[in-house]
Short mmCIF file of all heavy atoms in Angstrom, two decimals:
data_model
loop_
_atom_site.label_atom_id
_atom_site.label_comp_id
_atom_site.label_asym_id
_atom_site.label_seq_id
_atom_site.Cartn_x
_atom_site.Cartn_y
_atom_site.Cartn_z
N THR A 200 -47.44 9.81 9.29
CA THR A 200 -48.62 8.99 9.07
C THR A 200 -49.69 9.84 8.39
O THR A 200 -49.59 11.07 8.32
CB THR A 200 -49.15 8.48 10.41
OG1 THR A 200 -49.56 9.60 11.22
CG2 THR A 200 -48.09 7.69 11.16
N ARG A 201 -50.69 9.18 7.88
CA ARG A 201 -51.79 9.91 7.27
C ARG A 201 -52.44 10.88 8.25
O ARG A 201 -52.75 12.02 7.91
CB ARG A 201 -52.86 8.92 6.76
CG ARG A 201 -52.44 8.12 5.54
CD ARG A 201 -53.57 7.24 5.08
NE ARG A 201 -53.20 6.46 3.91
CZ ARG A 201 -54.02 5.59 3.32
NH1 ARG A 201 -55.26 5.43 3.78
NH2 ARG A 201 -53.62 4.94 2.25
N GLN A 202 -52.59 10.42 9.49
CA GLN A 202 -53.23 11.27 10.51
C GLN A 202 -52.38 12.51 10.78
O GLN A 202 -52.90 13.62 10.88
CB GLN A 202 -53.43 10.48 11.81
CG GLN A 202 -54.14 11.29 12.90
CD GLN A 202 -54.39 10.47 14.14
OE1 GLN A 202 -54.05 9.29 14.17
NE2 GLN A 202 -54.98 11.06 15.14
N SER A 203 -51.01 12.35 10.87
CA SER A 203 -50.16 13.50 11.18
C SER A 203 -50.13 14.46 10.00
O SER A 203 -50.02 15.67 10.17
CB SER A 203 -48.74 13.03 11.53
OG SER A 203 -48.12 12.41 10.41
N ARG A 204 -50.23 13.91 8.75
CA ARG A 204 -50.26 14.81 7.59
C ARG A 204 -51.52 15.66 7.57
O ARG A 204 -51.50 16.83 7.22
CB ARG A 204 -50.15 13.98 6.30
CG ARG A 204 -48.73 13.51 5.96
CD ARG A 204 -48.61 13.05 4.54
NE ARG A 204 -49.41 11.86 4.29
CZ ARG A 204 -48.94 10.63 4.41
NH1 ARG A 204 -47.69 10.41 4.76
NH2 ARG A 204 -49.73 9.58 4.17
N LYS A 205 -52.65 15.02 7.95
CA LYS A 205 -53.90 15.76 7.97
C LYS A 205 -53.91 16.84 9.03
O LYS A 205 -54.46 17.92 8.85
CB LYS A 205 -55.06 14.78 8.22
CG LYS A 205 -55.37 13.87 7.03
CD LYS A 205 -56.51 12.93 7.37
CE LYS A 205 -56.83 12.03 6.18
NZ LYS A 205 -57.93 11.08 6.51
N SER A 206 -53.26 16.56 10.18
CA SER A 206 -53.27 17.52 11.28
C SER A 206 -52.12 18.50 11.21
O SER A 206 -51.99 19.38 12.06
CB SER A 206 -53.24 16.77 12.63
OG SER A 206 -52.01 16.05 12.73
N SER A 207 -51.23 18.31 10.24
CA SER A 207 -50.04 19.17 10.07
C SER A 207 -49.10 19.10 11.25
O SER A 207 -48.32 20.01 11.51
CB SER A 207 -50.47 20.65 9.86
OG SER A 207 -51.26 20.75 8.68
N GLN A 208 -49.15 17.99 12.00
CA GLN A 208 -48.25 17.80 13.14
C GLN A 208 -47.06 16.95 12.72
O GLN A 208 -47.19 15.99 11.95
CB GLN A 208 -48.98 17.10 14.30
CG GLN A 208 -50.03 17.95 14.96
CD GLN A 208 -50.69 17.21 16.10
OE1 GLN A 208 -50.73 15.97 16.11
NE2 GLN A 208 -51.21 17.93 17.07
N LEU A 209 -45.89 17.32 13.20
CA LEU A 209 -44.69 16.54 12.93
C LEU A 209 -44.63 15.36 13.88
O LEU A 209 -44.99 15.47 15.06
CB LEU A 209 -43.44 17.40 13.11
CG LEU A 209 -43.29 18.62 12.19
CD1 LEU A 209 -42.04 19.40 12.57
CD2 LEU A 209 -43.23 18.20 10.74
N ASN A 210 -44.18 14.19 13.37
CA ASN A 210 -43.94 13.06 14.29
C ASN A 210 -42.59 13.29 14.98
O ASN A 210 -41.85 14.22 14.63
CB ASN A 210 -44.01 11.72 13.53
CG ASN A 210 -42.90 11.55 12.51
OD1 ASN A 210 -41.80 12.10 12.65
ND2 ASN A 210 -43.18 10.79 11.46
N PRO A 211 -42.26 12.46 16.01
CA PRO A 211 -41.01 12.69 16.75
C PRO A 211 -39.77 12.76 15.87
O PRO A 211 -38.89 13.60 16.09
CB PRO A 211 -40.97 11.50 17.71
CG PRO A 211 -42.40 11.15 17.96
CD PRO A 211 -43.09 11.39 16.63
N SER A 212 -39.66 11.86 14.87
CA SER A 212 -38.52 11.88 13.99
C SER A 212 -38.38 13.21 13.27
O SER A 212 -37.29 13.82 13.22
CB SER A 212 -38.61 10.75 12.93
OG SER A 212 -38.63 9.49 13.54
N GLU A 213 -39.49 13.70 12.74
CA GLU A 213 -39.47 14.95 11.99
C GLU A 213 -39.26 16.17 12.89
O GLU A 213 -38.61 17.14 12.50
CB GLU A 213 -40.77 15.09 11.19
CG GLU A 213 -40.91 14.03 10.11
CD GLU A 213 -42.33 13.86 9.64
OE1 GLU A 213 -43.26 14.06 10.44
OE2 GLU A 213 -42.51 13.51 8.45
N GLU A 214 -39.79 16.09 14.11
CA GLU A 214 -39.61 17.20 15.04
C GLU A 214 -38.14 17.35 15.43
O GLU A 214 -37.60 18.45 15.46
CB GLU A 214 -40.47 16.96 16.28
CG GLU A 214 -40.46 18.11 17.27
CD GLU A 214 -41.39 17.90 18.43
OE1 GLU A 214 -42.33 17.08 18.31
OE2 GLU A 214 -41.16 18.51 19.50
N ILE A 215 -37.50 16.23 15.74
CA ILE A 215 -36.08 16.26 16.10
C ILE A 215 -35.22 16.69 14.90
O ILE A 215 -34.31 17.50 15.03
CB ILE A 215 -35.63 14.88 16.67
CG1 ILE A 215 -36.30 14.65 18.00
CG2 ILE A 215 -34.13 14.85 16.80
CD1 ILE A 215 -36.00 13.29 18.60
N GLU A 216 -35.54 16.15 13.73
CA GLU A 216 -34.81 16.53 12.52
C GLU A 216 -34.91 18.03 12.28
O GLU A 216 -33.91 18.70 11.97
CB GLU A 216 -35.34 15.78 11.30
CG GLU A 216 -34.60 16.14 10.02
CD GLU A 216 -35.22 15.55 8.79
OE1 GLU A 216 -36.17 14.73 8.91
OE2 GLU A 216 -34.79 15.91 7.68
N SER A 217 -36.09 18.57 12.45
CA SER A 217 -36.32 20.00 12.21
C SER A 217 -35.47 20.82 13.18
O SER A 217 -34.83 21.82 12.77
CB SER A 217 -37.79 20.35 12.40
OG SER A 217 -38.02 21.73 12.25
N SER A 218 -35.40 20.40 14.42
CA SER A 218 -34.61 21.13 15.42
C SER A 218 -33.11 21.02 15.11
O SER A 218 -32.36 22.00 15.24
CB SER A 218 -34.90 20.61 16.83
OG SER A 218 -36.22 20.84 17.19
N LEU A 219 -32.66 19.82 14.70
CA LEU A 219 -31.25 19.62 14.38
C LEU A 219 -30.83 20.47 13.19
O LEU A 219 -29.71 20.99 13.16
CB LEU A 219 -30.97 18.16 14.09
CG LEU A 219 -31.04 17.18 15.24
CD1 LEU A 219 -30.98 15.74 14.76
CD2 LEU A 219 -29.92 17.43 16.26
N GLN A 220 -31.70 20.63 12.23
CA GLN A 220 -31.39 21.40 11.03
C GLN A 220 -31.18 22.87 11.32
O GLN A 220 -30.56 23.59 10.54
CB GLN A 220 -32.51 21.25 9.98
CG GLN A 220 -32.68 19.82 9.42
CD GLN A 220 -31.55 19.40 8.49
OE1 GLN A 220 -30.57 20.11 8.29
NE2 GLN A 220 -31.69 18.22 7.90
N GLU A 221 -31.65 23.32 12.48
CA GLU A 221 -31.46 24.71 12.85
C GLU A 221 -30.04 24.99 13.32
O GLU A 221 -29.64 26.15 13.43
CB GLU A 221 -32.47 25.10 13.96
CG GLU A 221 -33.91 25.07 13.49
CD GLU A 221 -34.88 25.34 14.63
OE1 GLU A 221 -34.42 25.56 15.77
OE2 GLU A 221 -36.10 25.32 14.39
N GLY A 222 -29.28 23.95 13.64
CA GLY A 222 -27.90 24.13 14.11
C GLY A 222 -26.93 24.24 12.93
O GLY A 222 -27.31 24.25 11.76
N SER A 223 -25.66 24.31 13.26
CA SER A 223 -24.61 24.47 12.23
C SER A 223 -23.98 23.17 11.79
O SER A 223 -23.19 23.15 10.87
CB SER A 223 -23.52 25.41 12.77
OG SER A 223 -22.95 24.87 13.94
N ASP A 224 -24.35 22.05 12.43
CA ASP A 224 -23.75 20.77 12.09
C ASP A 224 -24.46 20.13 10.90
O ASP A 224 -25.64 20.35 10.66
CB ASP A 224 -23.84 19.81 13.29
CG ASP A 224 -23.16 20.37 14.53
OD1 ASP A 224 -22.07 20.97 14.38
OD2 ASP A 224 -23.71 20.22 15.63
N ALA A 225 -23.70 19.31 10.15
CA ALA A 225 -24.30 18.53 9.08
C ALA A 225 -25.22 17.47 9.68
O ALA A 225 -24.85 16.79 10.65
CB ALA A 225 -23.22 17.88 8.24
N VAL A 226 -26.40 17.32 9.11
CA VAL A 226 -27.40 16.38 9.62
C VAL A 226 -27.82 15.44 8.51
O VAL A 226 -28.17 15.88 7.41
CB VAL A 226 -28.63 17.11 10.19
CG1 VAL A 226 -29.67 16.10 10.68
CG2 VAL A 226 -28.23 18.05 11.32
N PHE A 227 -27.80 14.13 8.81
CA PHE A 227 -28.25 13.13 7.86
C PHE A 227 -29.33 12.28 8.50
O PHE A 227 -29.27 11.98 9.70
CB PHE A 227 -27.09 12.23 7.41
CG PHE A 227 -26.08 12.96 6.57
CD1 PHE A 227 -25.03 13.67 7.17
CD2 PHE A 227 -26.18 12.97 5.19
CE1 PHE A 227 -24.10 14.35 6.40
CE2 PHE A 227 -25.25 13.68 4.40
CZ PHE A 227 -24.22 14.36 5.02
N VAL A 228 -30.32 11.89 7.71
CA VAL A 228 -31.44 11.11 8.20
C VAL A 228 -31.38 9.72 7.59
O VAL A 228 -31.31 9.56 6.37
CB VAL A 228 -32.77 11.80 7.84
CG1 VAL A 228 -33.95 10.91 8.26
CG2 VAL A 228 -32.86 13.18 8.51
N VAL A 229 -31.41 8.70 8.46
CA VAL A 229 -31.35 7.31 8.02
C VAL A 229 -32.67 6.63 8.39
O VAL A 229 -33.00 6.55 9.59
CB VAL A 229 -30.18 6.57 8.68
CG1 VAL A 229 -30.17 5.10 8.27
CG2 VAL A 229 -28.86 7.23 8.31
N PRO A 230 -33.42 6.16 7.41
CA PRO A 230 -34.73 5.56 7.74
C PRO A 230 -34.59 4.18 8.36
O PRO A 230 -33.57 3.49 8.19
CB PRO A 230 -35.41 5.47 6.34
CG PRO A 230 -34.24 5.31 5.41
CD PRO A 230 -33.13 6.16 5.97
N TYR A 231 -35.63 3.78 9.04
CA TYR A 231 -35.69 2.40 9.54
C TYR A 231 -35.73 1.44 8.37
O TYR A 231 -36.42 1.69 7.37
CB TYR A 231 -36.90 2.19 10.43
CG TYR A 231 -37.11 0.74 10.80
CD1 TYR A 231 -36.41 0.19 11.86
CD2 TYR A 231 -37.98 -0.07 10.08
CE1 TYR A 231 -36.55 -1.16 12.19
CE2 TYR A 231 -38.13 -1.40 10.39
CZ TYR A 231 -37.43 -1.94 11.45
OH TYR A 231 -37.57 -3.26 11.77
N SER A 232 -35.01 0.33 8.45
CA SER A 232 -35.01 -0.65 7.38
C SER A 232 -34.64 -2.02 7.91
O SER A 232 -33.71 -2.16 8.74
CB SER A 232 -34.02 -0.24 6.28
OG SER A 232 -33.95 -1.26 5.29
N VAL A 233 -35.32 -3.06 7.41
CA VAL A 233 -35.01 -4.43 7.78
C VAL A 233 -33.66 -4.84 7.20
O VAL A 233 -33.05 -5.82 7.65
CB VAL A 233 -36.12 -5.38 7.29
CG1 VAL A 233 -36.10 -5.51 5.77
CG2 VAL A 233 -36.01 -6.74 7.96
#
Side-chain angles (χ1 to χ4, degrees):
T200 63
R201 289 183 179 180
Q202 182 177 358
S203 65
R204 282 196 294 268
K205 288 179 180 179
S206 64
S207 299
Q208 291 181 335
L209 298 177
N210 66 29
S212 297
E213 294 161 330
E214 185 176 338
I215 292 176
E216 180 188 353
S217 178
S218 297
L219 290 171
Q220 294 287 5
E221 294 175 1
S223 60
D224 302 319
V226 178
F227 292 86
V228 176
V229 177
Y231 172 82
S232 174
V233 71

